């Protein structure tokens, strides 16, 4: 079969990214321009600033990705682009660039939903096996996604309030850690012990998640320590929050594995970069002999365009294309 080479673009939040991906499995190049340094100054992503920096970066990053892959536009079979969900202004820049390339070079345009990209990042490690359970954990989403086959996404659990990455970032903020808090909380937790008591999480549905109570409990705990004149250990608080949050997260995975026929579990999204989550997944999954698992490479956990190329490849094979009048959709579902 002829090789399929896709040029993929991602700009849904604060990363401008372009990748060249062969057959959805081989990364010929993957360039990411992060805006974190800028947004750290404001303590979070400022949408207007993000859009402006995407405009500045996108042509450069496309040129670099093509050069690094050692190909020309003649070799490209299609343009895959994140059309949603995300920040409307940010998405718009990537979609506009993709439409321009598709029009100028007469290439098919492939619309990709961002979270499907996070899931298909696992295809860089090994073949996906269905029925598959994807634990999607990012700054904006926490979902249990059951897939009976390629591109069949059934959301069987979701968060009732905050996404887990959002909770990490909010806890980072109350502990005065720079944005984004997730990676810092992860790092500090390794130096601490989970000695602060945090409440057990309850949800209406046994497959749903809730993280806002944990975040408030951390805040109350800090205030209580202050009132009592006791010193707060930031590493111990990070460890306490992390154990509580990930314990809650993994309990839902166990429930799905007990209830549904699942052949493989995959982690997906920025929080899949968390060292403790990767440890828990490895430990728990090695006890389940009939279910395989994949943890995506660190470089493919946080936002990147290679994952959009991996998902876009499946869409390409299925004949999912869009016209040049496609628009960014900030709340696009899977
Ligand atoms: O997938 P992603 O790059 O963007 C979204 O689609 O949201 O995820 C970003 C989120 C942020 O909330 C960030 O704090 C979190 O992933 N994150 C982590 C770690 N690395 C990134 N959270 C916990 N531990 C980490 N090591
Ligand atoms: Zn993401």
């Amino acid at each position: 079969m002829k090789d399929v080479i896709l040029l993929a673009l991602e700009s849904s939040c604060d990363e401008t990214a372009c990748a060249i991906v062969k057959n959805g499995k081989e990364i010929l190049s993957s360039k990411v321009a992060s805006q974190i340094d800028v947004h750290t100054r404001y303590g979070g992503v400022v949408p207007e600033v993000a859009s402006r920096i995407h405009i500045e970066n996108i042509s450069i990053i496309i040129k670099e990705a093509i050069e690094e892959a050692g190909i020309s536009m003649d070799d490209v079979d299609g343009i895959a682009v994140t059309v949603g969900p995300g920040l409307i202004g940010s998405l718009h820049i990537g979609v506009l660039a993709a439409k321009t390339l598709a029009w100028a070079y007469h290439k098919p345009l492939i619309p990709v939903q961002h979270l499907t990209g996070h899931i298909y990042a696992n295809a860089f490690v090994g073949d996906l096996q269905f029925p598959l359970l994807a634990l999607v954990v990012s700054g904006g989403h926490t979902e249990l996604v059951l897939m009976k086959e390629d591109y069949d996404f059934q959301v069987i659990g979701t968060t009732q309030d905050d996404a887990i990455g959002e909770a990490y970032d909010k806890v980072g903020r109350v502990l005065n850690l720079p944005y984004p808090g997730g990676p810092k909380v992860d790092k500090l937790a390794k130096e601490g012990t989970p000695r602060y008591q945090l409440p057990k999480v309850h949800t209406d549905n046994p497959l749903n998640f809730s993280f806002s109570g944990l975040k408030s409990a951390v805040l109350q705990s800090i205030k209580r320590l202050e009132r009592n004149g006791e010193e707060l250990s930031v590493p111990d608080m990070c460890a306490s929050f992390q154990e509580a949050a990930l314990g809650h997260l993994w309990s839902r995975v166990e429930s799905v594995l007990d209830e549904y026929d699942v052949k493989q579990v995959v982690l997906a999204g920025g929080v899949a970069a968390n060292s403790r989550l990767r440890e828990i997944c490895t430990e728990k999954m090695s006890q389940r002999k009939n279910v395989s698992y994949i943890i995506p490479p660190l470089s493919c956990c946080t936002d990147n365009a290679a994952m959009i190329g991996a998902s876009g490849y499946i869409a390409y094979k299925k004949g999912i294309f869009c016209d040049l009048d496609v628009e960014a959709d900030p709340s696009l579902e899977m």
Side-chain angles (χ1 to χ4, degrees):
M1 217 171 68
K2 186 193 165 293
D3 286 334
V4 175
I5 293 181
L6 297 185
L7 183 152
L9 290 171
E10 154 65 39
S11 70
S12 64
C13 188
D14 59 344
E15 260 94 29
T16 321
C18 180
I20 309 293
V21 177
K22 189 165 141 187
N23 300 329
K25 293 210 158 281
E26 198 183 326
I27 304 172
L28 302 185
S29 66
S30 178
K31 304 301 280 182
V32 181
S34 171
Q35 309 178 358
I36 281 183
D37 290 352
V38 177
H39 298 293
T40 297
R41 281 188 243 149
Y42 303 98
V45 178
V46 184
E48 289 80 0
V49 176
S51 317
R52 213 188 56 230
I53 306 178
H54 282 307
I55 296 174
E56 285 169 11
N57 287 344
I58 197 138
S59 319
I60 303 166
I61 216 95
I62 293 171
K63 192 163 168 277
E64 284 181 3
I66 293 172
E67 275 172 15
E68 195 175 300
I71 59 153
S72 78
M73 282 306 287
D74 290 343
D75 304 314
V76 171
D77 297 292
I79 313 290
V81 63
T82 303
V83 288
L87 300 169
I88 180 71
S90 289
L91 286 166
H92 187 65
I93 311 303
V95 171
L96 203 60
K99 287 201 248 189
T100 308
L101 288 173
W103 175 77
Y105 294 97
H106 309 284
K107 306 287 180 188
L109 190 57
I110 306 152
V112 176
Q113 204 269 10
H114 180 80
L115 299 175
T116 70
H118 278 302
I119 295 174
Y120 279 95
N122 288 285
F124 294 126
V125 181
D127 288 336
L128 303 191
Q129 291 172 3
F130 304 102
L132 173 150
L133 172 68
L135 176 63
V136 180
V137 280
S138 74
H141 293 84
T142 314
E143 330 259 16
L144 289 165
V145 182
L146 192 65
M147 295 174 67
K148 297 221 168 84
E149 56 184 273
D150 265 326
Y151 255 57
D152 170 30
F153 307 100
Q154 193 193 346
V155 179
I156 56 172
T158 188
T159 180
Q160 292 175 185
D161 40 61
D162 291 352
I164 184 163
E166 188 181 356
Y168 263 95
D169 295 341
K170 285 180 175 169
V171 166
R173 203 170 306 148
V174 299
L175 293 172
N176 289 319
L177 304 173
Y179 173 84
K184 279 113 198 160
V185 172
D186 180 9
K187 190 156 171 268
L188 285 167
K190 285 192 203 147
E191 299 160 20
T193 34
R195 68 182 167 97
Y196 295 118
Q197 286 282 332
L198 297 172
K200 213 168 157 34
V201 180
H202 295 284
T203 53
D204 311 339
N205 174 321
L207 294 188
N208 279 350
F209 303 96
S210 169
F211 293 100
S212 74
L214 268 182
K215 172 212 65 195
S216 309
V218 167
L219 192 60
Q220 280 158 13
S221 220
I222 295 170
K223 285 192 177 145
R224 199 175 317 116
L225 289 169
E226 270 175 17
R227 269 200 312 274
N228 298 344
E230 290 171 52
E231 200 186 329
L232 164 74
S233 158
V234 174
D236 289 354
M237 189 57 85
C238 289
S240 305
F241 165 74
Q242 177 150 285
E243 286 308 306
L246 299 182
H248 169 54
L249 190 74
W250 201 265
S251 70
R252 273 42 188 163
V253 174
E254 295 286 342
S255 302
V256 178
L257 294 181
D258 291 340
E259 227 176 281
Y260 290 82
D261 171 33
V262 170
K263 274 223 175 73
Q264 187 174 63
V265 172
V266 305
L267 298 186
V271 183
N274 183 276
S275 61
R276 182 73 184 123
L277 176 58
R278 297 168 84 89
E279 219 171 73
I280 292 173
C281 179
T282 308
E283 187 192 309
K284 299 286 185 191
M285 292 311 299
S286 52
Q287 293 165 9
R288 295 209 179 237
K289 297 288 171 238
N290 306 329
V291 189
S292 65
Y293 70 99
I294 305 181
I295 297 176
L298 275 178
S299 59
C300 290
C301 288
T302 44
D303 291 349
N304 64 89
M307 67 183 198
I308 302 305
S311 175
Y313 173 70
I314 306 296
Y316 180 96
K317 280 202 310 185
K318 287 188 171 285
I320 302 172
F321 300 108
C322 58
D323 294 329
L324 289 176
D325 60 1
V326 66
E327 296 279 358
D329 179 350
S331 48
L332 184 68
E333 292 187 354
M334 263 185 265

